[in-house]
Amino acid sequence: MTAVRASGPTSAIFTEAVALEKAEPEHFDLAFTAVTQPCPWPKAYGGDLVAAAAAAAMRSVTDGKTLHSMHSYFLRPADIGAQVRYEVELLRDGRGYSTRQVRGYQNGKPLYACLANFAAGEPGGGFQAEFTGDLPGPEELSSSADFLAGRSGGSMTEESKAYWSGGRSFDMRHAPGPVYLAVEGEKVPHQAVWIKPFDPLRPVDGLTDAQRDLAALAYVCDYTILEPVLRVLDLPWARPGLVTASLDHAMWFHREGPVDDWLLYLQEAVAADAGRGLGYGRFFTRDGLHLATVAQEGMIRAS
């Protein structure tokens, strides 16, 4: 199904990133292709690869099990607007759990690899982490577009400004303020980001709505997960000479919940040294349901 791209900011960029086409496998059991989406950097957005790989893995599991974890490595940069082949290896199918390996190939070389695990679910005790503290609601915070209106500086271009404002499928509102041109607010190793799709998420062929929503979390999590590290190091995105890259990524999906409404993404810096930083984050619905947890290490190079 091909959705009509809306005028103005739209979540179609995400759903197009996970629109997979079946292909003949060359290495493993199944294969799909997807096209990386536009962005103003020299390489494709890392969450584009994670979300497409999640979609490929989910399309390979046909017995109703749910994706509960992914562990990924980014091996090479991906070209923008180019096809990536996702090959899926069916490692195991058991009664309770299934495991898949997914590798992404471009220009004949592997550029991404992950293991994804699926669970049938079973009765058991329940617990979830809770967040405390007095955070402003999303209506009290500026959107990226409003914040950046009339601002300039550093390495920011009109293209990157437009991308930050409306090119990432999701409205993102920071507390403390964002780290686009300068580190707004305190230089503390934590932040909160309210996240909501610009418009309702479109259907994706081959995925249920619940599977699409899991892929949406995998897609959007990468945009800001390193920002607490940048914040505490006083490194805004537009600092000339700053180069970042995702190295490895882990994500756990605890329970299903609505993704079309505002989500609270609580993030903290865990460590930074030797040109690398580790960020940790948790997604909550507005009423406090803990949906997913993320950990990611990235390269942070400031000349």
Side-chain angles (χ1 to χ4, degrees):
M1 179 182 297
T2 301
V4 176
R5 176 70 69 87
S7 59
T10 171
S11 64
I13 293 169
F14 153 67
T15 49
E16 290 172 9
V18 294
L20 306 183
E21 297 289 339
K22 285 187 177 180
E24 287 298 318
E26 297 177 0
H27 304 280
F28 295 140
D29 300 297
L30 299 170
F32 303 89
T33 61
V35 176
T36 54
Q37 297 301 294
C39 67
W41 325 123
K43 58 185 182 299
Y45 166 55
D48 205 316
L49 305 179
V50 178
M58 286 188 285
R59 287 182 61 169
S60 77
V61 177
T62 58
D63 60 1
K65 295 189 186 78
T66 301
L67 177 66
H68 74 84
S69 66
M70 291 182 69
H71 299 267
S72 306
Y73 278 92
F74 302 87
L75 309 177
R76 292 179 174 86
D79 295 334
I80 298 168
Q83 190 178 89
V84 177
R85 169 184 289 269
Y86 294 92
E87 297 259 355
V88 184
E89 183 179 13
L90 312 183
L91 288 178
R92 179 179 183 269
D93 280 306
R95 286 188 300 173
Y97 293 88
S98 292
T99 305
R100 302 291 187 259
Q101 179 182 189
V102 184
R103 289 189 191 177
Y105 294 86
Q106 193 178 72
N107 302 319
K109 296 180 179 180
L111 52 79
Y112 170 88
C114 84
L115 289 175
N117 218 48
F118 295 77
E122 55 191 270
F127 169 79
Q128 69 161 39
E130 297 181 357
F131 63 86
T132 58
D134 187 18
L135 289 170
E139 297 83 1
E140 303 173 61
L141 300 171
S142 296
S143 67
S144 297
D146 289 342
F147 179 85
L148 289 169
R151 298 178 186 245
S152 61
S155 63
M156 185 179 72
T157 63
E158 287 303 310
E159 186 182 14
S160 60
K161 181 176 179 179
Y163 186 69
W164 283 331
S165 297
R168 299 183 291 180
S169 290
F170 292 79
D171 189 347
M172 302 183 197
R173 305 186 178 195
H174 289 70
V179 295
Y180 297 126
L181 301 172
V183 174
E184 302 290 332
E186 296 180 83
K187 297 175 180 62
V188 291
H190 54 80
Q191 66 176 21
V193 186
W194 285 101
I195 293 173
K196 183 182 179 181
F198 284 122
D199 53 12
L201 297 180
R202 293 149 179 80
V204 176
D205 279 350
L207 299 180
T208 66
D209 288 351
Q211 290 174 326
R212 175 208 59 199
D213 290 353
L214 292 181
L217 293 178
Y219 176 86
V220 74
C221 71
D222 190 22
Y223 277 121
T224 55
I225 188 61
L226 292 180
E227 286 186 350
V229 182
L230 299 182
R231 182 180 296 278
V232 76
L233 296 179
D234 195 18
L235 294 173
W237 287 116
R239 171 171 170 158
L242 176 67
V243 179
T244 66
S246 302
L247 297 175
D248 61 88
H249 175 281
M251 192 162 191
W252 298 265
F253 303 93
H254 309 303
R255 52 187 61 86
E256 294 180 358
V259 173
D260 272 337
D261 198 0
W262 287 106
L263 297 177
L264 180 62
Y265 192 12
L266 294 179
Q267 305 166 338
E268 60 185 273
V270 177
D273 203 0
R276 300 187 310 276
L278 179 65
Y280 170 81
R282 295 177 291 160
F283 282 101
F284 293 88
T285 63
R286 194 162 187 171
D287 59 0
L289 190 66
H290 182 196
L291 299 184
T293 299
V294 184
Q296 179 166 300
E297 187 177 44
M299 181 193 79
I300 299 176
R301 182 178 294 156
S303 60

